[in-house]
């Protein structure tokens, strides 16, 4: 919001794209790969989609890196003493729970992506292991959603819950402030109070 009010359109677009839009699109595409059966998303298409998500999914961490960099860049501590007058300015950005929740959700989405890719490879091996008989039970199994290739019902539930929890945390984290700036000193009062 501050970038839009300051008319920093490029910065606002990049923050919205990498922090708001891309994580949600990434999770939606991962959910599609996880739940779509072979008639909606073939093995080759699913492999391309998962490869794309694996290669570009890591860019969800770019805004985390930039936030950590900004937290350290905006930290200002200055003290001066002149003719018996002490003057100090102290500006300290402090991360809030939303920032840490967003980082945890991003890492969780990367883990879920790697497990999904592993299960896709398992499904592709089943598909490639058959000699051209399209009506065999195993070929028909490859038409099933990728979630059916999880080794247990518990793992299937955990991955589905992981996707859902990641989406919820990212959504809630995007709606709350990620950090605040603590200020003290006479100059910070002058600068911040117009």
């Amino acid at each position: 919001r501050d970038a839009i009010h300051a008319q920093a359109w490029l910065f606002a677009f990049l923050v919205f794209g990498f922090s708001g839009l891309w994580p949600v699109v990434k999770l939606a595409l991962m959910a599609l790969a996880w739940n779509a059966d072979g008639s909606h998303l073939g093995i080759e298409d699913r492999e391309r989609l998962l490869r794309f998500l694996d290669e570009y999914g890591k860019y969800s961490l770019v805004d985390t890196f930039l936030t950590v960099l900004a937290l350290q860049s905006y930290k200002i501590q200055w003290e001066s003493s002149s003719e018996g007058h002490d003057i100090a300015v102290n500006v300290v950005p402090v991360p809030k729970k939303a920032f840490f929740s967003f980082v945890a959700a991003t890492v969780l989405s990367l883990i879920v992506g790697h497990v999904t890719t592993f299960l896709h490879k398992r499904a592709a091996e089943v598909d490639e292991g058959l000699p051209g008989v399209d009506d065999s039970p195993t070929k028909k199994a490859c038409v099933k959603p990728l979630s059916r290739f999880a080794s247990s019902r518990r793992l299937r539930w955990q991955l589905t819950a992981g996707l859902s929890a990641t989406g919820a945390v990212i959504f809630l984290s995007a709606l709350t402030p990620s950090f605040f700036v603590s200020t003290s000193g006479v100059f910070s009062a002058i600068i911040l109070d117009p």
Side-chain angles (χ1 to χ4, degrees):
R1 285 176 264 176
D2 293 335
I4 292 172
H5 291 300
Q7 296 181 352
W9 305 114
L10 178 63
F11 183 73
F13 175 76
L14 291 174
V15 167
F16 175 74
F18 283 113
S19 298
L21 192 60
W22 175 238
V24 173
V25 168
K26 181 178 72 169
L27 289 174
L29 291 174
M30 201 177 312
L32 174 70
W34 182 243
N35 292 309
D37 61 16
S39 63
H40 293 96
L41 187 65
I43 290 209
E44 295 85 12
D45 295 331
R46 185 170 58 208
E47 183 172 347
R48 277 193 298 271
L49 175 63
L50 290 173
R51 190 178 311 127
F52 172 80
L53 291 175
D54 186 49
E55 290 171 1
Y56 294 101
K58 296 166 188 74
Y59 286 105
S60 295
L61 291 171
V62 167
D63 62 325
T64 302
F65 172 74
L66 292 176
T67 303
V68 169
L69 188 64
L71 287 171
Q72 289 304 308
S73 297
Y74 299 141
K75 187 175 184 178
I76 300 170
Q77 293 178 335
W78 178 74
E79 295 179 17
S80 177
S81 180
S82 175
E83 299 177 14
H85 299 290
D86 291 334
I87 300 172
V89 175
N90 196 11
V91 178
V92 181
V94 180
K96 295 176 86 174
K97 288 180 183 178
F99 172 72
F100 296 110
S101 299
F102 186 81
V103 172
T106 302
V107 171
L108 180 61
S109 74
L110 292 172
I111 291 169
V112 170
H114 287 298
V115 173
T116 303
T117 301
F118 168 77
L119 292 173
H120 165 74
K121 289 180 181 178
R122 179 186 285 177
E125 287 171 1
V126 168
D127 187 47
E128 290 174 2
L130 296 171
V133 180
D134 287 342
D135 58 342
S136 68
T138 313
K139 276 281 193 185
K140 288 181 181 177
C142 291
V143 176
K144 292 181 181 178
L146 188 59
S147 59
R148 298 294 178 198
F149 286 91
S151 58
S152 68
R153 178 176 274 165
R154 182 178 178 190
L155 177 62
R156 186 179 321 145
W157 182 87
Q158 287 172 336
L159 287 171
T160 303
L163 272 172
S164 302
T166 300
V169 169
I170 285 176
F171 180 75
L172 292 174
S173 296
L175 297 177
T176 57
S178 296
F179 62 93
F180 71 95
V181 178
S182 170
T183 61
S184 65
V186 67
F187 281 138
S188 63
I190 292 170
I191 293 171
L192 295 176
D193 288 333

